[in-house]
Amino acid sequence: MKKEIDSNTIIGVVGAGTMGAGIAQLAAAAGHEVLLYDAVDGAVGRGIETVMKGLNRQIQREKMTEEQRDALIGRIHPANQLKILGRAGLVIEAIIEDLEIKREVFSKLEKICNDDVILATNTSSISVTAIGAALQDPGRLVGMHFFNPAPVMKLVEVVSGVATTRETADVVYALSKAWNKVPVHAKSTPGFIVNRVARPFYGEALRMLQEGVADVATIDAALRDCAGFRMGPFELMDLIGIDVNFAVTQTVYEQMFDDPKYRPSLIQREMVDAGRHGRKTGRGFYDYSEAAEKPLPPIEKKGPQPGGVFHCGALGVAERLLGIFDQRGISVTEETGTGSLRIDDVRIALTDGRTATARARDEGCDNLVLFDLALDYSETPRVLLAASDRSVPAAREKAAGLFQAIGKGVTFIDDSPGMVVMRTIAMLVNEAADAVHQQVATPADLDTAMKMGVNYPRGPIEWGEQLGLLNVLTVLDQMACTYGDDHFRASPLLRRIVNGFGTFHGRV
């Protein structure tokens, strides 16, 4: 097996579609001669043309010269037969997501290529172990999962199947770094790191929509404005393709033997059946027709301005609100309590996973209003609130007035366990913890993958530790209690760490 792959090594790429052409461009940009093959007539030419168009745009932006473009394109050579790839020192497959077709291709490559040549698959959903089972030497096969567009996105998941040798994975890891990528090691399990850990971002949004917690625009706005995600889950599903996202969800669910944590959504299936696949069909969760206006979340009307507020016990991650109140001239008076704010007989508290109605009953305070988590309470333009069914209308008005007084737009949602942001983040942290527990990746690699692969504002492990893992566990347990559904079960590792060191990094 090759101990390293330098720029003198020829790279073979099988598949000249968007991803294959992007990988060919990336390898050529790193100085490699590239052999590009596709079984479909004309596909290689179209792939090179796509690369050329992208490079021309870089020239227009003055990020590349014509000479550099021509040199790069000159290093990508069409291969009209698969056997030509026998000259390569590494072959990367980027074809249709079909196990039998991939096995057939790699079986041929194994006969064509020298014994020391590494074979890599760009699969995003198929088991590397299952692909490698067709080979005489499955130890030479590794996952090299790029993210689209490959020349731009930094992350590469280096995925090891059961038989993949560590040396093989390490060589591809080092090559990815040489190509100016950020590689992470992952075990071959359904979804690898990113496609697995990201499932709650979509799944919880769909569940909340089905439960009537809030509308599409409100859920998207909450996760953008309050949590710092670049796009809301419904916007992102429309961009990816609702049909594509649904297929990935189904695959992970089936490969996880119908684990309820990954259960697909009835709403998503209905959207697919209706042909509303997102931007590419002109209609998804949003209407993309020329005359359509994007809906906005409702904003609560102006409430009474508070003269002051009582601070009743520690607010945890929401403690920063006290300084914001002070800056806005709202006096804060300390009194004993279990973590809330008080205006007259109205209590306002950060969600802990219970509904406001259940918590009002438990704490003997009918006029209870909960607020949702925010990445940064000083920066967020929006705060989500939910009132107890036991509360009077004036309670909603006073709670709204408090947050409006510090410049926040206020949106009320239906009373629900964990609200929107806290529920989503808790489930992301939990899924990340389970992935670490099952040795899919280290905590550091997992956080890197989610930040680099899908632009999360924080890695889930990092976010959980900043939020407090005990708080996350409390939210999960409260949601599990309310729903009685194994979907919300807490990771055994998360529970163990809370009972032990208290942080993942204390453990490792």
Side-chain angles (χ1 to χ4, degrees), residues 310-468:
F310 287 90
H311 173 217
C312 316
L315 297 176
V317 292
E319 198 78 15
R320 189 169 185 179
L321 282 169
L322 302 179
I324 301 171
F325 293 148
D326 183 63
Q327 291 171 4
R328 293 299 185 106
I330 300 171
S331 65
V332 178
T333 304
E334 300 291 333
E335 70 176 26
T336 58
T338 55
S340 65
L341 302 167
R342 182 175 66 81
I343 301 173
D344 301 327
D345 63 341
V346 178
R347 289 198 177 270
I348 305 164
L350 177 65
T351 177
D352 67 356
R354 286 177 287 180
T355 63
T357 303
R359 187 165 170 180
R361 178 205 60 205
D362 294 344
E363 298 181 0
C365 173
D366 287 351
N367 291 320
L368 176 67
V369 178
L370 299 182
F371 62 93
D372 206 348
L373 180 65
L375 180 67
D376 185 338
Y377 285 102
S378 65
E379 295 293 331
T380 181
R382 184 185 311 278
V383 173
L384 264 57
L385 302 180
S388 162
D389 292 346
R390 297 166 171 258
S391 64
V392 298
R396 290 173 55 111
E397 295 166 5
K398 290 179 180 180
L402 175 63
F403 288 101
Q404 289 163 345
I406 59 171
K408 310 302 179 186
V410 172
T411 299
F412 271 91
I413 63 171
D414 194 40
D415 186 20
S416 60
M419 302 186 70
V420 174
V421 180
M422 182 70 85
R423 172 174 175 163
T424 303
I425 300 307
M427 291 297 284
L428 285 169
V429 173
N430 191 48
E431 188 57 40
D434 235 14
V436 173
H437 182 50
Q438 295 169 15
Q439 303 179 65
V440 175
T442 65
D445 274 0
L446 192 147
D447 274 352
T448 296
M450 300 312 292
K451 287 187 287 188
M452 302 301 293
V454 278
N455 292 312
Y456 278 16
R458 289 178 181 165
I461 299 296
E462 173 193 9
W463 212 330
E465 294 192 337
Q466 290 176 351
L467 183 56

Side-chain angles (χ1 to χ4, degrees), residues 15-283:
T18 301
M19 186 59 77
I23 295 169
Q25 176 185 333
L26 179 65
H32 298 270
E33 298 296 320
V34 179
L35 301 172
L36 181 59
Y37 169 81
D38 198 295
V40 178
D41 287 343
V44 171
R46 290 191 294 272
I48 293 174
E49 184 179 342
T50 298
V51 173
M52 178 71 82
K53 287 179 180 177
L55 298 179
N56 286 339
R57 286 194 293 272
Q58 291 194 44
I59 291 172
Q60 291 171 359
R61 297 169 188 156
E62 298 183 349
K63 293 185 176 181
M64 174 179 275
T65 66
E66 291 184 2
E67 291 76 14
Q68 289 172 324
R69 175 201 62 194
D70 294 343
L72 191 157
I73 289 293
R75 287 192 287 271
I76 302 176
H77 309 285
N80 57 13
Q81 292 180 303
L82 188 66
K83 66 180 181 182
I84 294 174
L85 272 59
R87 298 166 47 204
L90 165 70
V91 180
I92 305 170
E93 166 271 315
I95 62 173
I96 187 172
E97 288 290 87
D98 183 293
L99 174 60
E100 293 309 317
I101 294 175
K102 288 182 186 292
R103 281 178 166 176
E104 182 181 351
V105 167
F106 279 112
S107 292
K108 291 177 180 178
L109 287 169
E110 188 175 36
K111 295 181 178 70
I112 291 167
C113 299
N114 292 333
D115 291 344
D116 64 344
V117 173
I118 292 175
L119 305 177
T121 174
N122 183 58
T123 183
S124 60
S125 61
I126 298 176
S127 164
V128 173
T129 299
I131 297 171
L135 300 180
Q136 294 297 313
D137 179 14
R140 70 196 293 192
L141 179 73
V142 65
M144 195 176 187
H145 181 211
F146 294 87
F147 287 74
N148 195 28
V152 176
M153 296 297 287
K154 287 290 189 180
L155 182 68
V156 176
E157 291 179 323
V158 179
V159 185
S160 294
V162 168
T164 305
T165 67
R166 183 68 189 196
E167 184 180 38
T168 297
D170 285 345
V171 169
V172 168
Y173 185 97
L175 177 66
S176 300
K177 291 186 76 170
W179 287 2
N180 198 31
K181 295 298 181 183
V182 179
V184 293
H185 283 293
K187 186 169 74 173
S188 181
T189 58
F192 309 143
I193 300 174
V194 172
N195 280 331
R196 172 181 176 167
V197 176
R199 301 289 18 110
F201 186 67
Y202 312 108
E204 295 313 307
L206 289 160
R207 278 173 165 256
M208 287 185 281
L209 181 63
Q210 187 169 344
E211 295 167 7
V213 174
D215 61 19
V216 165
T218 298
I219 294 170
D220 273 352
L223 288 162
R224 280 196 323 268
D225 297 347
C226 305
F229 291 95
R230 293 190 181 182
M231 299 180 75
F234 297 106
E235 293 171 318
L236 191 50
M237 282 186 277
D238 274 2
L239 178 64
I240 294 168
I242 296 170
D243 55 332
V244 174
N245 189 269
F246 182 54
V248 172
T249 302
Q250 282 186 302
T251 298
V252 172
Y253 179 61
E254 290 164 4
Q255 291 182 354
M256 289 291 194
F257 303 110
D258 297 356
D259 187 329
K261 284 203 304 176
Y262 310 102
R263 188 184 299 127
S265 164
L266 293 172
I267 288 179
Q268 200 170 28
R269 186 179 68 183
E270 287 287 285
M271 296 292 284
V272 172
D273 290 346
R276 295 185 176 186
H277 297 171
R279 292 190 182 191
K280 62 188 176 184
T281 62
R283 186 72 183 267

